[in-house]
Amino acid sequence: MIKVFYSLVIGVLMLGWSQHGYAQKRQYLLHTADNIERLKTQVENDDKIADAWEDQLRKAEQVVKSDRQSASDCQVLALAYRMTGREAFAEKIREILLANIDKDTWESQGLLNRTPSWKGGLRTSHTSFFLSLGFDAAYEHLSEDDKQKIAKGIVRLGIKPQMENWLDPETSFHTFDTMGHNWWSACVYMAGLSAIAVRNEIPEAERWIEEIAGTAGEWIGYSGSVLQNKIPTFDQDGGFYESINYAAYGVSQYLLFRYALEQAMPSMEQEDFPILEKVVDFFIHTTYYVEGDLPLSVNFGDTNVHRNGNSCVVLLYNLGYRDDRYTWYLNQVNKGSDKEGLEVNSPNGLILYPDLPTLEGDYTPDLAHSHLYKEMDWATMRNSWENDATMLAVKSGFSWNHAHADAGSFILFHQGKNLIIDSGNSSYGNPLYTTYYCQSEAHNVILWDGKGQDRKDPYFGTVNHGDLHHLIDGDHYKYLLADASGPYAHLLRRNYRSFLWVGDVILVIDDLLAHQPGKFEWLLHYNGVSKRSGKDLSIKEGDAEVLVRPLFPETFPDAGLPHDFPEQMRLEEKMGYKDHEPENKVPYWSISHFEESARTKFVNAIVLKEDGQPVPEVEPFEGKDFLGVRITQGGEVTEVYFNLLADGRLKHRNSVINMNGWETDAYLTALTFDVGSDRTTSENVKKLFVGHGSYLRRDGQVMVHSLSKLYGEFGFDDDGKAYIDGQAGAKVSMNGSSFERFQVNGQSVNHSVDEESGLFTFRLSDK
């Protein structure tokens, strides 16, 4: 039932509205006449919005009754005043404004004590934003003397310090590669928003606004620094390497300025940045959607698993960037309350909450299930856009500042839970932030003799970055290669991690070579309860469960005591620290081999348990120069072959091998058959995967051939499909003369068929 309370308040105060010509006298930053009218209509028609408004109104009334003079209270007071016209709210804003402009500085003493003194930092930015919103909303209530005095105070304490530190040629010392990635946006664009607020009182304001607006292209396009080990702030596909938290923060600060400028000064043209639309897709890809609960996100670096891109998408939607997937995303994430997130239960989120269209049917985004951010080296892979699906996220990129020493790390969401986790972070002032949370041991990576990346990487940055390559998002197989060799170069010559996802099994294959013999460890951080049962390590939270099964170099002992089986894998419980709770210790696992070695291969299977479904059978096998894994599930058998000759040990010789009759040079090969079919003949192959290979043959029958090595899935049903990552323009042949239709990477391709050999030949696109 829609609350009567709001209607009574508005009815009693309706006369007050006629006495205030808000829209006629002031072009507001956020609290525009259109936004007010939209919100009033939403309150009348939507219980959720009505509840949120009543909550904000109560908070505003409490602030009026209190003695506090916090700048942040201007947000809720601004909303309440513009919605009701009650003078008490405006008068409280005036009181807060006058109290805060009477201060010597809005900045923290810690920044002021630096050399040179940082007069314009985040505290100044936040205070300036809060007070500017209050000044703007209460503008018609303030006297001319008040306006002049307050505007000059905002300039002295909010705008000038930022201009001097960040923009003024005679005094600035910050740039895009110091604190520029998110601080630039917060400090510079909040100064710009404040300049918009005081534009009527301060003659120079319009010049400042134009100057600040003109920096956006350089900030978004920052290209990195070789000498200072910095990478571009934005990936070409809209990713932001400093974490979801700082992506949302940095981008939303710019968008707040952009939106305020569009509303208050619409005649001032702003440059269009196509990457902003890609930023939305970045948030969609890195969010995990949970039925009946708050969504979760990929929490690499300094962020929170509940942080998301709601604030950015709300602002972009208001700026006219609209698509059904934006609507779908906002319906998923616009929940809860966050001081910067613009959720509906926050004062700024409520005034900006858009009228969203109703989506037809069981809508899901028209995006691929997987995406690789090639410049920042993050990737996400999921089996569905449905709630409570399975999502794997991998990072092997840059370490510095908010990006931790986590090259090759991964996290896993399954059945609504984050089961294999990132350790998260703590407050930056806690010593454990530097000594634990930022370091390799807090992540799901490889250690050698207890060591990971150089412990100074989060401070100085990684000279040799990690990389992700060759994402395959096929109908049957998903694959990704993580190269963490660069960040581990002081310890390892090779640190490659392959993820091969087949049905309900994800194989994690580590190819490792050290400079000298030592002990390799495979780290696993988890949520919930974890215990070993036979050859499996169970990780369970609620009804969600996965099994982790070491396969190579050995399995866990199936029975008995560890000292009875010294040759098999060791499981050691170690203690770390809980995400955002460094006062609480939590266990994590280390899996290692008993003997020291310079070269080893870890092959571990992550088995996804599904309600009511049989658990897949996973068993290792091996032969001369290869390791194998056999997976039986859903009426199919998949055999995976790892060619040991292809691990870099051969020079000037191709890694030619015969593995149980399959001739290839591929690093990885996977073949899927029906259960019970003859697996020694090429005719029964339903689908296959080739990883870094140029050919696969059986008894003279060519299955796949290319002059250059490629990665890809190849299907052999009537509607032929291939998903390939390889050299542009490469000529590829495969056994497929019976195809009625054929697509490569979702696109039809020109092809030819050799009637004698039955080979189906095409060229890879150069795109």
Side-chain angles (χ1 to χ4, degrees):
M1 178 179 178
I2 301 297
K3 303 295 186 293
V4 177
F5 179 71
Y6 169 76
S7 298
L8 290 174
V9 170
I10 295 300
V12 169
L13 296 166
M14 194 58 69
L15 288 176
W17 284 91
S18 63
Q19 299 170 9
H20 297 276
Y22 299 109
Q24 291 75 20
K25 295 184 180 180
R26 181 72 171 172
Q27 289 180 288
Y28 292 92
L29 308 183
L30 303 186
H31 303 90
T32 66
D34 287 345
N35 285 349
I36 293 296
E37 290 305 314
R38 180 182 64 199
L39 179 54
K40 289 163 63 179
T41 301
Q42 290 171 336
V43 167
E44 293 174 357
N45 295 289
D46 189 324
D47 282 338
K48 178 182 72 171
I49 304 298
D51 287 343
W53 157 242
E54 289 181 19
D55 182 50
Q56 297 304 316
L57 184 59
R58 280 191 294 269
K59 290 178 180 178
E61 290 172 338
Q62 291 169 2
V63 172
V64 169
K65 296 175 183 177
S66 72
D67 294 329
R68 67 175 185 254
Q69 296 174 336
S70 171
S72 64
D73 286 336
C74 283
Q75 299 174 101
V76 70
L77 292 168
L79 174 68
Y81 179 55
R82 289 287 291 130
M83 280 289 285
T84 69
R86 285 171 55 182
E87 298 295 333
F89 296 133
E91 187 57 31
K92 186 64 177 181
I93 292 173
R94 177 179 178 273
E95 176 188 322
I96 293 172
L97 290 168
L98 292 173
N100 279 272
I101 64 165
D102 198 36
K103 296 181 178 180
D104 294 329
T105 180
W106 291 341
E107 198 44 70
S108 65
Q109 195 59 49
L111 293 187
L112 292 170
N113 288 342
R114 294 189 175 190
T115 304
S117 181
W118 293 22
K119 299 176 182 178
L122 293 189
R123 187 172 294 180
T124 297
S125 167
H126 297 158
T127 304
S128 186
F129 171 61
F130 300 147
L131 296 181
S132 294
L133 283 189
F135 178 75
D136 183 64
Y139 193 81
E140 296 298 334
H141 174 82
L142 300 173
S143 69
E144 290 303 315
D145 287 345
D146 286 341
K147 291 174 185 176
Q148 287 294 325
K149 183 177 181 180
I150 294 167
K152 290 176 181 177
I154 289 174
V155 170
R156 179 177 65 87
L157 295 166
I159 299 174
K160 280 291 188 180
Q162 307 288 25
M163 299 286 287
E164 290 173 3
N165 285 183
W166 296 85
L167 291 173
D168 191 330
E170 296 181 356
T171 58
S172 69
F173 51 84
H174 285 304
T175 183
F176 300 117
D177 66 352
T178 52
M179 296 299 293
H181 302 82
N182 63 79
W183 277 55
W184 178 280
S185 182
C187 296
V188 173
Y189 297 122
M190 287 303 97
L193 184 142
S194 295
I196 300 169
V198 301
R199 65 194 182 278
N200 292 343
E201 288 69 40
I202 307 299
E204 303 96 327
E206 186 165 343
R207 175 172 57 82
W208 298 338
I209 296 164
E210 289 179 348
E211 181 180 355
I212 289 169
T215 68
E218 287 186 76
W219 173 67
I220 291 173
Y222 172 69
S223 59
S225 165
V226 173
L227 284 175
Q228 296 297 327
N229 301 330
K230 305 297 190 303
I231 65 170
T233 301
F234 286 91
D235 181 273
Q236 62 186 0
D237 287 345
F240 191 101
Y241 80 90
E242 282 197 303
S243 80
I244 301 300
N245 177 51
Y246 287 102
Y249 178 53
V251 175
S252 67
Q253 296 297 282
Y254 167 66
L255 293 177
L256 279 166
F257 165 73
R258 187 181 183 100
Y259 179 79
L261 183 54
E262 183 175 285
Q263 300 308 307
M265 303 174 67
S267 62
M268 185 176 289
E269 292 187 7
Q270 299 190 68
E271 186 177 355
D272 184 44
F273 301 109
I275 200 170
L276 293 176
E277 294 185 70
K278 297 181 180 181
V279 169
V280 180
D281 290 343
F282 170 65
F283 289 124
I284 294 175
H285 276 296
T286 54
T287 300
Y288 178 70
Y289 306 96
V290 180
E291 185 67 35
D293 204 348
L294 294 174
L296 305 172
S297 68
V298 174
N299 64 326
F300 295 135
D302 290 338
T303 187
N304 184 296
V305 75
H306 288 295
R307 197 73 166 97
N308 57 59
N310 173 74
S311 57
C312 298
V313 182
V314 164
L315 286 160
L316 284 167
Y317 202 97
N318 278 276
L319 284 163
Y321 294 79
R322 297 178 183 179
D323 186 275
D324 283 350
R325 66 181 183 274
Y326 300 2
T327 298
W328 178 84
Y329 182 75
L330 288 175
N331 284 333
Q332 297 271 359
V333 301
N334 199 289
K335 304 171 184 177
S337 180
D338 189 285
K339 66 180 181 180
E340 294 165 351
L342 299 185
E343 283 85 357
V344 71
N345 196 32
S346 65
N348 299 330
L350 192 56
I351 191 60
L352 291 171
Y353 188 71
D355 286 327
L356 299 174
T358 300
L359 299 176
E360 295 183 4
D362 296 326
Y363 176 88
T364 55
D366 55 345
L367 297 172
H369 288 159
S370 305
H371 195 87
L372 168 59
Y373 290 89
K374 295 181 180 179
E375 292 184 321
M376 59 183 270
D377 297 291
W378 288 28
T380 58
M381 298 182 281
R382 69 182 79 221
N383 59 5
S384 170
W385 284 109
E386 301 294 333
N387 292 342
D388 298 344
T390 303
M391 184 172 87
L392 175 72
V394 182
K395 180 194 170 192
S396 191
F398 181 61
S399 300
W400 177 70
N401 198 28
H402 298 300
H404 296 176
D406 53 1
S409 189
F410 68 98
I411 55 181
L412 181 74
F413 303 88
H414 179 59
Q415 291 192 330
K417 303 295 183 182
N418 183 194
L419 294 177
I420 298 177
I421 66 168
D422 187 281
S423 292
N425 64 340
S426 67
S427 67
Y428 303 147
N430 192 302
L432 288 170
Y433 171 75
T434 300
T435 60
Y436 176 73
Y437 290 101
C438 285
Q439 302 299 336
S440 295
E441 60 265 29
H443 304 92
N444 301 312
V445 298
I446 295 295
L447 296 186
W448 180 87
D449 272 357
K451 302 173 185 176
Q453 290 183 228
D454 190 300
R455 300 188 72 82
K456 295 181 180 179
D457 277 356
Y459 186 85
F460 291 107
T462 41
V463 176
N464 302 307
H465 308 162
D467 298 285
L468 295 179
H469 302 277
H470 308 304
L471 175 68
I472 300 296
D473 187 14
D475 294 334
H476 192 75
Y477 304 99
K478 297 180 188 295
Y479 176 80
L480 183 70
L481 173 63
D483 175 7
S485 302
Y488 278 75
H490 58 298
L491 302 174
L492 308 179
R493 292 185 181 275
R494 293 176 69 86
N495 186 1
Y496 297 104
R497 170 170 278 181
S498 290
F499 298 87
L500 182 63
W501 186 345
V502 187
D504 289 331
V505 177
I506 301 173
L507 296 179
V508 184
I509 303 168
D510 290 285
D511 178 358
L512 305 164
L513 175 64
H515 299 298
Q516 60 189 33
K519 177 186 175 182
F520 288 97
E521 295 178 76
W522 198 87
L523 300 188
L524 189 67
H525 296 261
Y526 63 88
N527 264 333
V529 176
S530 184
K531 60 183 179 180
R532 204 194 110 194
S533 177
K535 295 184 177 182
D536 292 331
L537 184 62
S538 166
I539 299 174
K540 185 174 183 179
E541 184 178 12
D543 295 330
E545 183 178 11
V546 298
L547 304 176
V548 178
R549 180 177 299 177
L551 301 171
F552 294 100
E554 281 288 345
T555 61
F556 286 139
D558 201 15
L561 299 173
H563 69 265
D564 296 328
F565 301 91
E567 75 282 3
Q568 294 189 291
M569 301 305 286
R570 303 279 182 89
L571 179 66
E572 180 183 357
E573 185 177 76
K574 296 190 172 184
M575 299 304 293
Y577 299 90
K578 193 172 182 179
D579 184 12
H580 285 84
E581 297 180 24
E583 66 276 11
N584 294 320
K585 288 190 173 183
V586 291
Y588 66 95
W589 295 116
S590 165
I591 299 172
S592 62
H593 199 233
F594 79 101
E595 61 183 5
E596 293 187 346
S597 60
R599 184 191 296 272
T600 195
K601 305 291 186 288
F602 282 123
V603 181
N604 293 281
I606 301 173
V607 180
L608 311 171
K609 294 189 71 172
E610 299 285 355
D611 295 338
Q613 299 296 319
V615 177
E617 298 176 19
V618 182
E619 54 183 328
F621 62 91
E622 57 187 310
K624 179 175 171 50
D625 295 325
F626 74 85
L627 306 176
V629 180
R630 185 174 296 110
I631 302 168
T632 305
Q633 59 182 336
E636 294 180 336
V637 177
T638 297
E639 292 187 338
V640 180
Y641 294 88
F642 183 8
N643 179 359
L644 297 177
L645 298 179
D647 68 355
R649 66 184 64 187
L650 300 179
K651 179 181 179 180
H652 292 167
R653 290 174 290 161
N654 198 10
S655 50
V656 175
I657 193 171
N658 186 306
M659 300 179 292
N660 289 349
W662 299 99
E663 300 173 47
T664 188
D665 61 352
Y667 180 76
L668 281 174
T669 306
L671 306 112
T672 297
F673 309 84
D674 284 327
V675 169
S677 66
D678 183 359
R679 300 197 297 275
T680 65
T681 174
S682 61
E683 294 177 357
N684 292 329
V685 176
K686 297 176 67 177
K687 295 183 184 294
L688 66 84
F689 171 82
V690 171
H692 195 251
S694 70
Y695 71 90
L696 177 67
R697 296 189 287 264
R698 177 92 195 202
D699 299 328
Q701 174 63 60
V702 175
M703 301 297 292
V704 174
H705 181 266
S706 172
L707 295 179
S708 57
K709 291 188 176 180
L710 51 76
Y711 294 75
E713 172 187 308
F714 299 85
F716 297 93
D717 48 18
D718 290 341
D719 293 335
K721 292 181 181 179
Y723 300 88
I724 303 173
D725 184 43
Q727 180 176 314
K731 181 181 177 181
V732 181
S733 299
M734 61 180 290
N735 181 24
S737 59
S738 63
F739 294 151
E740 296 179 4
R741 292 185 298 272
F742 187 74
Q743 290 185 332
V744 177
N745 298 333
Q747 302 294 323
S748 297
V749 296
N750 294 324
H751 59 275
S752 62
V753 179
D754 186 300
E755 294 184 2
E756 183 176 343
S757 67
L759 291 182
F760 192 94
T761 301
F762 55 91
R763 288 194 181 273
L764 293 183
S765 169
D766 58 1
K767 296 180 180 180

